[in-house]
Amino acid sequence: MKISFRLLLGTVVTCLAFALAPAHAEFSPTKPIDFVIMAGKGGGADKMARLMQSIVEKNDLADRPLIPVNKSGGSGAEALVALKSATDPDHTIMVTLNSFFTTPLRQPGLEVDIMEFAPVGRMAEDTFVLWVNVEEGVNSFEEFLAEAKSRGADWVMGGTGSAQEDQIITDYLNDTYGLEIKYIPYKGGGAVAKDLAGNQIDSSVNNPSEALGFYEAGTVIPLVAFTDERLPMFPDVPTLAELGNEFAYYMQRAVVGAPGMSADAQTYYTALFEEVYNSADWQQYKSDKSLLGDFLPGDDLKEYWGVQRDRHETILKASGAMK
Amino acid sequence: MEVVQLLFEGVWAALQPLNLGLAFLGVVIGLFVGAMPGLGSVNGVAILLPFTFVIQQVTGSVSSPMIFLAAIYYGAMYGGAISSITLGIPGASTAVATTFDGRPMALQGNADRALVIAAVASFVGGTISNILFTGAAPLLASVALRFGNPEVFALMLLAFATFVGLGGDDIPKTIVSICFGLIMSAVGFDIISGAPRLLLFDSTEWFSRGIQFLVLAIGVYGIGEMLWTIRSSRNTIKMTSAQISMKRIVRALLWFRSCWKGTLIGSFLGFFVGILPAAGATPGALMAYGVTKMVSPRRRHFGSGEVDGIAAPESANNAASTGAMLPMMTLGIPGSPTTAVLLAGMVIWGLQPGPLLFTDNPEFVWPLIGSFYISNVIAVVVNLACIPLFLRVLRMPFSILSSLIFVLSVVGTYAAYQNMYDVWLMMFFGIGAFLLRILDYPLAPAVLAIVLGPIAEPTLRQSLLLSDGSWMIFIERPIAGPITICAIILLLLPLAGLLWRLRRRA
């Protein structure tokens, strides 16, 4: 009798547990998560994605591992199409940069609408700084303008991809200051940083995270920051606004889910990446690499996308990269 | 002198029981992932990255987790040769060139010799590049920086030229084979404009990923080779079964003397290609094979079981894996997929890879370099000791072995990218390779082209952008110039030879 009572109790508890479980219906990944990186190895996006992965692993934040995959082809087109056609949207997320806005605008043929993607969270806004090799003998933005002007198309700027962040800034400099800087697209910021350090190119607009190693070694020097305020890391480097032109340009460092991701999965990933954002490692990295911006979850991120897309549309139309 | 002392301290640190145990464990895991088709060092390192955080917490040292991962990387370079030789399926992309001669040698009943040569060549390659790394890391880093886009392209041109210029094979067919590989490597998105290219059947989903090199390699060497063996032997399987005895293995060690040339070429060339960011061990091994074949007086025997043809790529892939650590540690730029994962590990362990790593973190750098030497010794000992075990595979009747090859090819292709499309493509390449083989087309050049194409194309286009379309950029630059000229001479040699013979006849 005693035993059967226990059995009954056990059954009731089990039934209750089952009955309660669907009420929560919480999503949790059931297989490894595809973590697509929209750029090549060694660049800012790549380093950051791998850091996020490491933070998740180190603090055991997810039940299944994040598997980073670089899809750098065609200024992010490869990654966008991969996400759009993902067979399992609940297990496919991507680290994005601003080519998330520019590439679909420039290539309507891809039929990618970024508003269909699931906004997970913005992890930071990256900053841009103008760098030159120390051997150029250029020590200020004014000297840079004079030197670049005198060399015309022989002054070479390296950057990541075509008609995206780095080229937008280069085009701005060319238009505003009447320069003819030649722009060479690379697959990733790592290769740009290396070629600047090796004096293969004359300047870059790398993110601080990409150029920092060479800056500390004294191979490259920063001339001007494309931010609203001076970066705490480079207190002596003026912003372009101080030098007379109100131009600030940032890059989103955000995580997005594949189109068609369920709302539960999106909630799960937003919570996951908010934890990553709040981790000591991430905050440390943010301040070490001059990243700005707060965490923007879900709908706030979507709103931000709308603003950014309009801004990029204006920029691309002005530069002729888009009709 | 200071370097010697630092190295001595590093080796001593690597010899501590805990680090030694980690290196041993890493080598064994590496041998396994390397030998499994479809899995390579990058998979092993990526899967075990989380485990290193535990190691770091337990030991409190930043070098121990890296010693573990580096040992996996090394072990995989040794392991790749095992399945390349015994099954004819490249165990890892880095071991593709080892199948060119390793497999024919195994079919002749000399698999033990091939395995011994692969292990010893790997050891020599690894050790030579360790010495280069120890002695001249900062200097070599500055050499790597001198290699811009035109230089890298010139080097790629040289690699193609070694396959065309002095090959014993039919030259027009070699060129067709290279072109086929280049076309395959161009499928996907244009690297600069982002326009889709060669999207067959209008299926972006399928082709936007491009054609992965491993898919072609497993198709050609797994399925294609298997079909070829079946065809050439028909009902009578003439494959000599491998003999197993320690005596034969010791005798094979003596054979190693005859391939010192391939080993040396592989070691130095592999290391050099490894230190160039963007290249890595797979191109290094293929180029070493090409160059060794070119300078060998026995080049006509390459592809049918030549010892140098095993020693060169095997020494090169180990040398390149050490080399690839160099740009990762000194420039913060990974030279291969595996080092990209290692780099991520270093960031989370709190290190800043870059020009200052050697001065800021000697407690990390030197034990790691010390462990390179130790892991290499462990790997060669474990590998040689296990050879009798590997050889058992070859005692299976071919009717069983061929189904094993088929299954491993399919599973390996799927495991690499988890996509059925790759498996179908692999089958297609396998059957295609078999048919081309009947028509006597060499297939190694196609494999070379699909590896080097994605490096050659962007560097060519970036160089031409730099020069406003002038091809003289490849001749005028001080480093690119001599390399380009060598490549052009090599390409023209067969033509010159033909003219010479015609004149003599006239």
Side-chain angles (χ1 to χ4, degrees):
Chain A
M1 196 59 207
K2 238 182 178 178
I3 293 170
S4 67
F5 174 71
R6 268 197 207 163
L7 202 71
L8 191 72
L9 190 73
T11 319
V12 170
V13 169
T14 319
C15 287
L16 264 177
F18 271 104
L20 285 174
H24 284 272
E26 268 186 15
F27 171 84
S28 117
T30 52
K31 61 175 213 179
I33 303 153
D34 275 338
F35 195 37
V36 178
I37 304 165
M38 212 173 167
K41 291 184 189 80
D46 183 60
K47 284 184 185 163
M48 210 169 288
R50 289 173 195 278
L51 177 70
M52 289 179 204
Q53 178 216 8
S54 305
I55 292 172
V56 170
E57 296 288 357
K58 189 179 175 187
N59 303 315
D60 208 6
L61 300 179
D63 299 337
R64 292 288 185 275
L66 299 171
I67 308 288
V69 205
N70 291 82
K71 292 196 187 293
S72 57
S75 300
E78 184 189 357
L80 288 166
V81 170
L83 240 73
K84 199 185 130 198
S85 54
T87 44
D88 188 356
D90 282 358
H91 292 93
T92 312
I93 54 176
M94 173 168 76
V95 177
T96 61
L97 33 154
N98 283 5
S99 49
F100 184 66
F101 310 119
T102 50
T103 302
L105 284 172
R106 278 194 311 123
Q107 295 190 53
L110 295 174
E111 292 173 4
V112 168
D113 177 10
I114 58 169
M115 291 304 172
E116 284 174 6
F117 286 67
V120 169
R122 189 190 71 185
M123 305 298 290
E125 278 190 309
D126 213 336
T127 50
F128 291 90
V129 173
L130 176 67
W131 306 89
V132 290
N133 189 303
V134 75
E135 285 169 37
E136 299 282 356
V138 169
N139 294 310
S140 69
F141 186 61
E142 289 77 17
E143 287 175 32
F144 161 80
L145 288 178
E147 186 68 27
K149 190 154 228 165
S150 75
R151 282 207 238 163
D154 285 338
W155 186 279
V156 178
M157 176 86 83
T160 306
S162 301
Q164 62 190 65
E165 308 84 10
D166 295 1
Q167 194 167 13
I168 287 174
I169 298 176
T170 310
D171 284 348
Y172 176 83
L173 291 174
N174 278 342
D175 290 347
T176 314
Y177 297 97
L179 306 174
E180 290 169 56
I181 296 173
K182 186 191 288 175
Y183 178 83
I184 308 276
Y186 283 74
K187 252 190 166 178
V192 177
K194 179 223 138 205
D195 268 11
L196 181 64
N199 225 346
Q200 308 287 342
I201 51 177
D202 301 304
S203 59
S204 80
V205 284
N206 270 146
N207 306 122
S209 68
E210 294 164 333
L212 213 54
F214 296 108
Y215 164 71
E216 284 169 357
T219 327
V220 301
I221 50 171
L223 296 181
V224 65
F226 301 97
T227 48
D228 291 302
E229 280 166 32
R230 289 191 182 202
L231 293 169
M233 187 182 289
F234 311 109
D236 300 331
V237 176
T239 65
L240 198 61
E242 289 174 46
L243 301 173
N245 276 294
E246 291 287 342
F247 178 81
Y249 189 77
Y250 300 95
M251 168 137 70
Q252 73 158 349
R253 297 293 189 187
V255 178
V256 312
M261 178 180 272
S262 67
D264 286 336
Q266 194 187 326
T267 313
Y268 171 84
Y269 289 117
T270 301
L272 173 68
F273 281 95
E274 189 155 18
E275 273 189 87
V276 172
Y277 179 85
N278 289 326
S279 69
D281 282 322
W282 183 259
Q283 292 301 327
Q284 179 75 33
Y285 186 82
K286 245 185 98 187
S287 67
D288 280 356
K289 311 286 173 176
S290 277
L291 295 170
L292 306 170
D294 299 324
F295 187 75
L296 277 190
D299 289 340
D300 295 345
L301 178 58
K302 204 160 196 169
E303 202 174 301
Y304 172 81
W305 286 353
V307 175
Q308 289 291 322
R309 185 166 69 169
D310 294 346
R311 182 181 180 198
H312 282 94
E313 196 167 347
T314 317
I315 294 175
L316 290 183
K317 278 189 173 149
S319 76
M322 183 189 159
K323 280 170 204 122
Chain B
M1 223 54 248
E2 199 200 342
V3 169
V4 177
Q5 195 198 335
L6 284 167
L7 176 67
F8 184 75
E9 285 167 14
V11 171
W12 182 248
L15 278 174
Q16 297 308 304
L18 180 82
N19 287 342
L20 199 62
L22 283 171
F24 183 79
L25 188 66
V27 164
V28 172
I29 294 173
L31 272 175
F32 178 76
V33 293
M36 275 302 290
L39 294 182
S41 56
V42 62
N43 308 76
V45 169
I47 292 165
L48 288 161
L49 187 64
F51 182 57
T52 61
F53 303 129
V54 181
I55 299 177
Q56 193 193 7
Q57 274 158 11
V58 172
T59 62
S61 139
V62 280
S63 57
S64 298
M66 188 67 175
I67 286 175
F68 176 64
L69 292 183
I72 297 179
Y73 193 15
Y74 270 130
M77 292 299 151
Y78 281 83
I82 298 165
S83 44
S84 295
I85 292 170
T86 56
L87 296 173
I89 316 172
S93 61
T94 48
V96 166
T98 313
T99 52
F100 297 169
D101 278 283
R103 180 64 180 155
M105 206 167 182
L107 288 174
Q108 291 153 18
N110 292 322
D112 52 346
R113 192 184 296 159
L115 286 168
V116 170
I117 286 169
V120 179
S122 295
F123 175 72
V124 175
T127 306
I128 288 180
S129 62
N130 282 341
I131 294 168
L132 291 172
F133 190 113
T134 317
L139 182 74
L140 288 165
S142 68
V143 172
L145 282 180
R146 294 286 143 215
F147 267 70
N149 290 313
E151 286 76 18
V152 173
F153 178 73
L155 205 63
M156 295 299 120
L157 197 64
L158 186 66
F160 286 120
T162 57
F163 266 67
V164 176
L166 278 163
D169 306 311
D170 188 330
I171 288 163
K173 283 182 175 170
T174 304
I175 292 174
V176 168
S177 182
I178 288 183
C179 291
F180 173 75
L182 285 177
I183 292 170
M184 290 298 117
S185 79
V187 173
F189 286 103
D190 182 290
I191 40 141
I192 289 179
S193 74
R197 296 191 300 200
L198 298 172
L199 291 185
L200 306 176
F201 314 120
D202 201 29
S203 167
T204 29
E205 196 180 327
W206 271 29
F207 277 85
S208 61
R209 310 172 52 246
I211 292 176
Q212 307 296 333
F213 147 72
L214 204 60
V215 174
L216 180 78
I218 293 183
V220 169
Y221 291 98
I223 303 292
E225 186 74 28
M226 182 190 76
L227 292 174
W228 177 256
T229 314
I230 293 171
R231 177 187 182 265
S232 52
S233 50
R234 295 284 165 158
N235 293 320
T236 51
I237 305 294
K238 278 184 301 236
M239 193 177 75
T240 328
S241 62
Q243 310 207 329
I244 305 171
S245 78
M246 240 16 215
K247 209 163 147 198
R248 276 180 64 92
I249 289 176
V250 173
R251 210 180 308 147
L253 279 174
L254 297 177
W255 257 89
F256 187 72
R257 280 181 308 187
S258 60
C259 50
W260 60 270
K261 214 177 188 180
T263 309
L264 282 186
I265 293 174
S267 305
F268 284 99
L269 190 68
F271 181 75
F272 185 69
V273 174
I275 66 171
L276 299 177
T282 310
L286 283 162
M287 286 173 74
Y289 183 87
V291 171
T292 308
K293 181 178 177 183
M294 188 182 79
V295 300
S296 168
R298 291 172 56 79
R299 72 181 82 93
R300 278 172 203 290
H301 299 275
F302 272 66
S304 53
E306 184 64 32
V307 282
D308 265 341
I310 299 170
E314 274 306 306
S315 54
N317 67 25
N318 270 64
S321 61
T322 305
M325 299 270 189
L326 199 130
M328 178 196 74
M329 287 166 66
T330 58
L331 305 174
I333 294 157
S336 68
T338 313
T339 46
V341 179
L342 296 179
L343 189 76
M346 287 168 70
V347 172
I348 193 81
W349 302 323
L351 298 162
Q352 159 94 50
L356 297 181
L357 185 71
F358 274 65
T359 36
D360 287 354
N361 301 88
E363 81 291 350
F364 169 77
V365 171
W366 291 102
L368 178 63
I369 294 179
S371 88
F372 291 173
Y373 290 85
I374 305 297
S375 300
N376 242 311
V377 175
I378 297 174
V380 75
V381 171
V382 171
N383 204 339
L384 285 175
C386 290
I387 284 177
L389 195 70
F390 306 143
L391 287 174
R392 300 226 166 253
V393 173
L394 284 174
R395 308 202 97 188
M396 278 185 236
F398 191 74
S399 49
I400 295 178
L401 195 61
S402 59
S403 34
L404 187 70
I405 291 175
F406 181 78
V407 170
L408 280 176
S409 297
V410 171
V411 173
T413 311
Y414 186 78
Y417 308 103
Q418 280 111 46
N419 200 314
M420 268 317 279
Y421 141 72
D422 286 336
V423 177
W424 295 119
L425 202 60
M426 184 274 293
M427 302 280 224
F428 168 76
F429 284 136
I431 295 166
F434 171 63
L435 297 175
L436 284 176
R437 184 106 188 246
I438 293 176
L439 298 173
D440 209 21
Y441 278 86
L443 294 166
V447 173
L448 175 91
I450 202 172
V451 173
L452 300 188
I455 305 171
E457 194 206 334
T459 49
L460 170 67
R461 292 174 62 181
Q462 283 163 344
S463 304
L464 290 178
L465 277 173
L466 202 62
S467 69
D468 290 318
S470 159
W471 293 83
M472 290 309 286
I473 188 169
F474 299 112
I475 308 280
E476 287 165 354
R477 309 239 315 183
I479 301 176
I483 305 178
T484 311
I485 291 166
C486 281
I488 292 173
I489 292 173
L490 274 176
L491 280 169
L492 293 179
L493 263 183
L495 193 67
L498 188 72
L499 288 176
W500 175 249
R501 257 173 284 150
L502 283 177
R503 261 187 63 184
R504 289 234 335 225
R505 208 173 293 163

